[in-house]
Amino acid sequence: MAAKLPDMDDAATSDQGIETLRAGNLRDWTSVIRDQFVALNVAPSNSSELVGAVRSRQLAHLGVAEVESTPQMFERTSRLVSRSAANVLQIGLVSRGAGHLVQDGRTCSLGPGDFAIYESSRPFTWTLTGDWRLLVYTWPREMVPLLGCDSQRLTARLLGAESGVARILSPMLTGLMQLESGLSPTISARLADECAELTITAAWEAAGLADADATSVEHFWMVRKYIEERLQDTDLNPQTIADAFCISTRTLHRIFAKQGTTVASWIRSRRLEACRQAMTSPGSRMRSLTEIALGYGFTDSAAFSRAFKCQYGVSPSRYRSQLH
């Protein structure tokens, strides 16, 4: 790769809403990567020729970035994970060259248009070769309704540009960098949520249910669907759910325990997420926060506010004010 990056020329710095950062040595490049994403060790194939650039923009809680540099490896080690409070879910989409992602005991090789999920709370490695460009999409982990055990099933799986849901999603993700500026905060937030949901759908399609505990996973998803359809019901609890499926509460708790969570915490988390998404809906603009909370099964507005801040790091009133 030549020392100049022709696709990220100086004009890019004037794009409205897009920031461009460049580096020409290993120390500066490592700093750029850590500032833009998470702490990573960088090992270039040839440090004397290293040059890199990152173009980035923000769509509500979704960070969108275009990265290109010389062939190299990015590694997030156990030590870096333990020293960092950052917890994000990311997608890496190869738009040029080739990439190899390793996480959670899996390795996938990606070509142009292919993408894969990875998460910063566990070690991972990206190796990028050739004249490469990688599009990186970053969500705060708490904004994505995905259990940790589910995440470990979905990381480092090839989501091919020519297969299933990924075939639709790949050009959509690529287009986020070219979106015109001026989207309202509300529309940006809903777009960020929809991209996350579609990505999870594509990853589950790629993963299938081939694991040994597929039956348990299927039961879990059936109960999740039941809960999702009844978040407004203040009587929704382990006993009513168990009765609906003609199982004991002990069996119900065991199903959720296998997925690394509890029934009560899952219901609370999904109610909070439903409230957050309602805040981004134009149809809910005139509804008070208390009305939204009551509409999704919360009976105490103060408890709702505390739970919302605990899950998302900001109060519901502050979150809503940032949307308008």
Side-chain angles (χ1 to χ4, degrees), residues 67 70-74 92-102 106-116 118 125-135 156-159:
V67 187
T70 47
Q72 61 199 265
M73 181 177 75
F74 299 102
L93 188 155
V94 174
S95 67
R96 191 175 66 204
H100 305 275
L101 172 64
V102 179
R106 286 181 296 275
T107 302
C108 65
S109 298
L110 303 88
D114 297 337
F115 59 101
Y118 55 108
T125 302
W126 267 106
T127 303
L128 294 149
T129 59
D131 184 18
W132 65 269
R133 181 192 295 136
L134 185 70
L135 302 179
R157 292 188 185 272
L158 176 65
L159 303 178

Side-chain angles (χ1 to χ4, degrees), residues 1 5 29 50-53 67-72 74 130-132:
M1 187 175 185
L5 297 172
W29 182 234
L50 189 146
V51 61
V67 187
E68 59 180 333
S69 182
T70 47
Q72 61 199 265
F74 299 102
D131 184 18
W132 65 269

Side-chain angles (χ1 to χ4, degrees), residues 8-187:
M8 292 187 177
D9 57 22
D10 291 338
T13 59
S14 64
D15 290 350
Q16 186 174 355
I18 296 179
E19 178 185 20
T20 301
L21 297 173
R22 297 181 175 82
N25 60 66
L26 179 57
R27 188 176 76 171
D28 290 348
W29 182 234
T30 300
S31 179
V32 166
I33 292 299
R34 293 189 175 197
D35 288 345
Q36 291 290 299
F37 306 109
V38 293
L40 299 171
N41 290 333
V42 182
S45 296
N46 188 335
S47 59
S48 65
E49 295 181 1
L50 189 146
V51 61
V54 178
R55 297 175 66 226
S56 62
R57 68 182 305 177
Q58 197 69 30
L59 293 172
H61 49 280
L62 169 61
V64 183
E66 183 179 80
V67 187
E68 59 180 333
S69 182
T70 47
Q72 61 199 265
M73 181 177 75
F74 299 102
E75 183 180 22
R76 185 158 172 83
T77 63
S78 297
R79 183 179 181 185
L80 289 176
V81 169
S82 66
R83 294 171 60 185
S84 173
N87 192 3
V88 297
L89 188 80
Q90 296 181 291
I91 296 172
L93 188 155
V94 174
S95 67
R96 191 175 66 204
H100 305 275
L101 172 64
V102 179
Q103 189 171 42
D104 296 323
R106 286 181 296 275
T107 302
C108 65
S109 298
L110 303 88
D114 297 337
F115 59 101
I117 294 174
Y118 55 108
E119 187 173 338
S120 68
S121 63
R122 300 182 301 280
F124 65 81
T125 302
W126 267 106
T127 303
L128 294 149
T129 59
D131 184 18
W132 65 269
R133 181 192 295 136
L134 185 70
L135 302 179
V136 180
Y137 307 86
T138 304
W139 289 264
R141 185 62 181 84
E142 65 273 11
M143 294 292 195
V144 182
L146 187 66
L147 291 171
C149 54
D150 285 347
S151 170
Q152 292 180 44
R153 296 174 186 274
L154 303 183
T155 52
R157 292 188 185 272
L158 176 65
L159 303 178
E162 299 300 324
S163 60
V165 177
R167 184 175 185 177
I168 301 170
L169 186 55
S170 180
M172 177 180 173
L173 290 171
T174 302
L176 292 179
M177 200 69 197
Q178 283 75 48
L179 274 177
E180 294 182 5
S181 60
L183 291 179
S184 72
T186 298
I187 295 301

